[in-house]
Amino acid sequence: MWPATFRSSGMESPHLEINEYEKFVLRMNPPRVVIDNEASENATLVKVDCSNRHGILLEVIQILTDLDLIICKAYISSDCGWSMDVFHVTDLNGRKITDARTIDYIQQRVVNHQYPRTVGVQSAVEHTAIELTGADRPGLLSEIFALLSDLGCNVVAAELWTHNMRVASLIYVTDYVNLGPIQDPRRLAKIKESLCSVLKGDRDSKGARTDFVTGVTHTERRLHQMMFADRDYEIADDGKMHNSEQKITVENCNEKGYSVVNIECRDRPKLLFDTVCTLIDMEYVVFHATIDSVGQKAYQEYYIRHVDGCTLNSDAERCRVIQCLRAAIERRASEGLRLELCMGDRVGLLSDVTRIFREHGLSVKRADVNTRGDKAVDVFYVTDAAGNPADMKVIEAIKQEIGQTVLQVKGLARYPKVSHEAAARLRFSFGDLFGVPCQVLSNLGFIKSFT
């Protein structure tokens, strides 16, 4: 715990607090989880049947995505205090989930309401956790890592996202000497002041923020919250052309009292987590949803209301939801060339590597830094300083300097093309099933169809 002179970031826990009544309901009606490898030829079905509360959908999705499982389809139905959800999942190679330990982990976490605190989650007990938001610019990550190295900080993990010329990062550091968290108030004050100075630069009109985090946080959810609080979505309409493959609409279904959000965009891992996370953090409740992916396309349909029970009744509110969902989709999009670094860890390694990137004119658009034992296992997405694709001659020069075997260039995933007609045939919508409860339950997988 940091001294009283240093405050928490004010962040909400990624695990919403449960009141005593909800705890009682959970004890009386514990969640039921079924892992089914027989119902589908191509995927494992994870069926979750439980009492409903705000945020539980995101927590279940978080369990699955933190295990690097791909959710290729999902059917969500929750109303009148009960939730019935089905997720079609595979591993990263498109195979069913057969590992007994993984299956047991999913069941135990959901049934016992013990959401992940080791996978995808970092604790501030062993590290000093630092949050940064500000204006992005070429070479910024190099400046940050160089400064931390000069201040005697060893970076053990970090994640950085950039979007619409803004940057958000969570960095976990230890002291060079004792390899534990930094607790001296004067030293923390110097680190904070120095990082703020680097972040502000000479042209950040929107302002920069540096904070120390206490407790436990889910890194990816927190990054969404940080960029949302930084209002990165507002810059989306400054004349920049959006991805033509991305379509988001919000309409009201007055007959049933829902607002209907439809998303069509390029599919990628953790897309469902990103969109549901944004809706939850904007205080909307997802009552029903259908999620589908066909080739490289993802289709998501949500029936939502605000937590106060109201639908989205103004154009301004609908526009804001579209902007925020567009930002959530784009923040983690694989912009740039993927570089993977795996080598023996040492003090100052990240400072040296990112300096080499900067000296060769590369800009880091996204980064995921990890330490596993005595190895540094890092991923960087890079472009040139103008945001254009990196020159492969430059990449080869960097590999020569860092090491041919320790720095690998990885291509982006490719998906088979599927025609619009085929996609339409494969899609399913809850809008077609309202008032037909047996058909809904059959599609969810909780009852069998005999037709």
Side-chain angles (χ1 to χ4, degrees):
M1 186 69 69
W2 279 280
T5 52
F6 287 86
R7 66 182 180 85
S8 162
S9 64
M11 61 168 282
E12 296 180 2
S13 167
H15 314 288
L16 301 178
E17 293 297 326
I18 305 176
N19 61 38
E20 290 303 316
Y21 174 74
E22 289 173 330
K23 291 179 181 177
F24 172 74
V25 171
L26 280 172
R27 287 194 298 269
M28 297 299 295
N29 302 282
R32 182 172 67 94
V33 181
V34 176
I35 310 295
D36 186 351
N37 270 315
E38 302 299 326
S40 171
E41 292 183 4
N42 305 316
T44 297
L45 271 61
V46 179
K47 306 174 186 179
V48 181
D49 182 11
C50 63
S51 59
N52 190 30
R53 63 176 178 79
H54 186 52
I56 193 169
L57 171 62
L58 178 61
E59 291 168 344
V60 174
I61 294 170
Q62 181 176 302
I63 290 172
L64 301 176
T65 56
D66 281 348
L67 291 170
D68 285 331
L69 301 182
I70 303 298
I71 302 174
C72 44
K73 289 186 181 183
Y75 304 107
I76 311 300
S77 183
S78 60
D79 221 337
C80 301
W82 203 256
S83 175
M84 296 179 292
D85 307 331
V86 175
F87 303 92
H88 294 235
V89 303
T90 67
D91 64 16
L92 290 173
N93 297 312
R95 297 175 301 207
K96 291 185 178 183
I97 313 306
T98 57
D99 180 69
R101 292 171 300 177
T102 301
I103 291 173
D104 182 66
Y105 178 87
I106 295 170
Q107 291 175 323
Q108 292 300 318
R109 293 299 184 182
V110 177
V111 170
N112 297 327
H113 191 67
Q114 297 172 352
Y115 295 100
R117 296 185 180 272
T118 54
V119 181
V121 175
Q122 293 284 351
S123 170
V125 175
E126 299 176 353
H127 316 117
T128 297
I130 307 171
E131 291 184 353
L132 307 171
T133 54
D136 188 29
R137 65 177 186 272
L140 177 61
L141 190 60
S142 171
E143 295 177 45
I144 291 172
F145 285 153
L147 174 63
L148 290 173
S149 180
D150 291 342
L151 292 172
C153 301
N154 181 42
V155 178
V156 295
E159 191 152 354
L160 173 139
W161 291 356
T162 62
H163 179 246
N164 282 335
M165 297 305 297
R166 303 299 295 177
V167 60
S169 182
L170 268 167
I171 304 176
Y172 301 88
V173 302
T174 59
D175 180 78
Y176 270 175
V177 178
N178 61 30
L179 301 180
I182 300 168
Q183 297 178 318
D184 178 58
R186 288 174 296 182
R187 189 175 174 192
L188 289 170
K190 181 175 178 59
I191 291 171
K192 182 173 182 176
E193 180 183 3
S194 301
L195 286 171
C196 275
S197 179
V198 168
L199 278 171
K200 287 179 180 177
D202 55 5
R203 57 185 182 87
D204 187 359
S205 59
K206 202 171 184 180
R209 185 182 68 83
T210 302
D211 256 318
F212 298 102
V213 184
T214 58
V216 177
T217 180
H218 186 275
T219 301
E220 294 171 348
R221 179 162 186 196
R222 184 55 190 155
L223 285 169
H224 275 303
Q225 292 174 329
M226 290 162 63
M227 298 205 89
F228 177 72
D230 195 46
R231 306 176 80 90
D232 68 318
Y233 56 88
E234 290 186 339
I235 314 173
D237 291 324
D238 62 349
K240 172 185 173 182
M241 293 296 292
H242 298 300
N243 189 337
S244 60
E245 295 182 340
Q246 187 184 112
K247 299 176 183 177
I248 305 174
T249 61
V250 180
E251 299 174 343
N252 279 347
C253 177
N254 295 322
E255 180 184 355
K256 298 298 179 181
Y258 298 112
S259 291
V260 185
V261 178
N262 275 287
I263 301 172
E264 179 181 335
C265 64
R266 180 179 291 274
D267 195 20
R268 61 167 174 78
K270 300 192 177 182
L271 177 64
L272 179 59
F273 172 85
D274 294 338
T275 53
V276 172
C277 177
T278 297
L279 291 171
I280 297 300
D281 286 340
M282 294 182 74
E283 298 191 324
Y284 292 105
V285 179
V286 177
F287 288 90
H288 306 281
T290 59
I291 310 300
D292 202 359
S293 58
V294 183
Q296 61 183 348
K297 282 285 190 179
Y299 302 91
Q300 300 184 352
E301 180 181 61
Y302 298 101
Y303 287 76
I304 67 171
R305 297 187 193 121
H306 195 267
V307 289
D308 61 9
C310 296
T311 56
L312 286 70
N313 294 318
S314 70
D315 290 339
E317 187 177 10
R318 287 189 285 268
C319 180
R320 183 167 178 265
V321 168
I322 290 172
Q323 285 182 320
C324 292
L325 285 172
R326 179 179 293 127
I329 293 168
E330 293 174 349
R331 287 170 193 150
R332 210 207 296 254
S334 299
E335 180 181 358
L337 187 68
R338 179 185 173 106
L339 302 180
E340 296 184 1
L341 177 75
C342 182
M343 63 184 300
D345 193 27
R346 60 174 173 79
V347 172
L349 174 63
L350 285 168
S351 175
D352 292 341
V353 169
T354 52
R355 172 184 54 79
I356 293 171
F357 290 168
R358 174 171 54 82
E359 290 174 348
H360 284 80
L362 295 185
S363 179
V364 178
K365 295 299 183 182
R366 189 154 61 94
D368 185 2
V369 173
N370 289 283
T371 305
R372 298 174 187 169
D374 60 351
K375 291 283 188 182
V377 183
D378 309 330
V379 176
F380 304 94
Y381 290 86
V382 299
T383 65
D384 69 11
N388 299 315
D391 188 330
M392 291 309 298
K393 292 181 180 179
V394 172
I395 299 299
E396 284 301 318
I398 292 174
K399 290 181 67 176
Q400 289 285 349
E401 190 166 349
I402 295 177
Q404 290 281 357
T405 59
V406 299
L407 185 66
Q408 299 292 322
V409 179
K410 299 292 183 179
L412 301 180
R414 300 298 180 191
Y415 299 89
K417 290 188 176 180
V418 178
S419 68
H420 290 290
E421 291 78 8
R425 288 196 300 270
L426 291 167
R427 290 179 62 193
F428 163 85
S429 170
F430 262 102
D432 301 327
L433 296 181
F434 278 124
V436 192
C438 290
Q439 184 62 45
V440 173
L441 293 174
S442 176
N443 277 279
L444 286 172
F446 287 105
I447 62 175
K448 292 183 178 180
S449 173
F450 296 96
T451 60

